[in-house]
């Protein structure tokens, strides 16, 4: 099991969450993390600020609700997996800060945070159970049904289903 998946599973277990849809804002609150919807540039999804014992997740309130949910889960992934960076800003464009972590593989960190978010919002056992129970004819239909069930975008759910080996591609 990947580190991201294990960290997400541990968090769900810690709070006794075993049913979808999973609310990442509630999880953040239970961790003492303040989630603040904000007006942000369209290319910014969210940010994580750490200052001493305080942690704040800012989320772009102009984005679709499902994207906001994924963003909060993604920032929780940074919080749980990537210690020590005081500010993480997630944008569609790359922002490089010249500091002690600038030489680290931030692409790897973004991939880990995305994987964490997917595992948190759509845990493998819940996804597999829901897929077995769903009535569908195509992978695209399954992705749509599952996206609605787990309150994720179709794109994010499609990737989750592919990564779990449940479908090969939703275009077939």
């Amino acid at each position: 099991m990947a580190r991201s998946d294990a960290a997400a599973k541990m968090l769900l277990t810690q709070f006794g969450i075993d049913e979808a849809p999973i609310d990442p804002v509630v999880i953040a609150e239970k961790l003492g993390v303040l989630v603040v919807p904000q007006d942000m540039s369209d290319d910014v999804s969210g940010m994580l600020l750490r200052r001493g014992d305080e942690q704040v997740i800012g989320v772009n309130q102009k984005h679709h609700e499902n994207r906001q949910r994924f963003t909060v889960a993604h920032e929780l992934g940074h919080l749980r997996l990537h210690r020590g960076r005081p500010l993480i800003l997630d944008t569609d464009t790359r922002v490089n800060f010249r500091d002690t972590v600038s030489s680290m593989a931030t692409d790897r960190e973004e991939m880990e945070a995305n994987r964490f978010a997917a595992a948190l919002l759509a845990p493998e056992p819940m996804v597999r159970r829901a897929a077995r129970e769903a009535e569908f004819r195509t992978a695209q239909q399954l992705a749509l049904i599952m996206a609605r069930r787990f309150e994720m975008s179709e794109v994010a759910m499609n990737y989750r289903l592919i990564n779990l080996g449940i479908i090969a591609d939703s275009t077939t």
Side-chain angles (χ1 to χ4, degrees), residues 127 130-149 154 157-158 161 166-167 170:
V127 171
R132 281 192 306 270
E133 295 170 357
E135 293 184 25
F136 62 95
R137 290 181 178 222
T138 67
Q140 187 175 11
Q141 285 177 333
L142 178 61
L144 177 61
I145 290 165
M146 300 294 279
R148 289 178 180 157
R149 170 77 178 98
E154 285 182 64
M157 181 52 73
N158 188 58
L161 293 171
I166 295 172
I167 62 171
S170 71

Side-chain angles (χ1 to χ4, degrees), residues 90-108:
D90 285 308
T91 69
D92 290 341
T93 56
R94 177 117 181 196
V95 177
N96 290 321
F97 294 99
R98 288 286 169 211
D99 59 16
T100 57
V101 297
S102 62
S103 63
M104 294 178 67
T106 54
D107 287 348
R108 178 187 57 81

Side-chain angles (χ1 to χ4, degrees), residues 4 8 14-15 30 35 48 55 57 66 69 73 90 101 118 153:
S4 303
Q14 177 182 345
F15 295 120
K30 288 181 178 189
V35 177
L48 170 63
Q55 294 111 17
I57 292 174
N66 287 343
R69 289 169 38 76
D90 285 308
V101 297
S153 72

Side-chain angles (χ1 to χ4, degrees), residues 36 38-47 58-62:
V36 182
Q38 297 185 339
D39 282 329
M40 298 179 178
S41 161
D42 284 341
D43 66 333
V44 178
S45 298
M47 52 147 257
V59 63
N60 191 333
Q61 66 186 3
K62 292 185 274 184

Side-chain angles (χ1 to χ4, degrees), residues 8 10 29 34 46 51-52 57 67 72-73 75 77-78 88 92 95 99 107 116 127 131 138 146-147 153-154 159 171:
M10 188 180 341
E29 290 170 353
L34 180 63
R51 186 178 12 191
I57 292 174
R67 184 167 180 186
V72 172
E75 299 305 340
H78 281 306
I88 297 173
D92 290 341
V95 177
D99 59 16
D107 287 348
F116 176 94
V127 171
T138 67
M146 300 294 279
S153 72
E154 285 182 64
Y159 281 122
T171 60

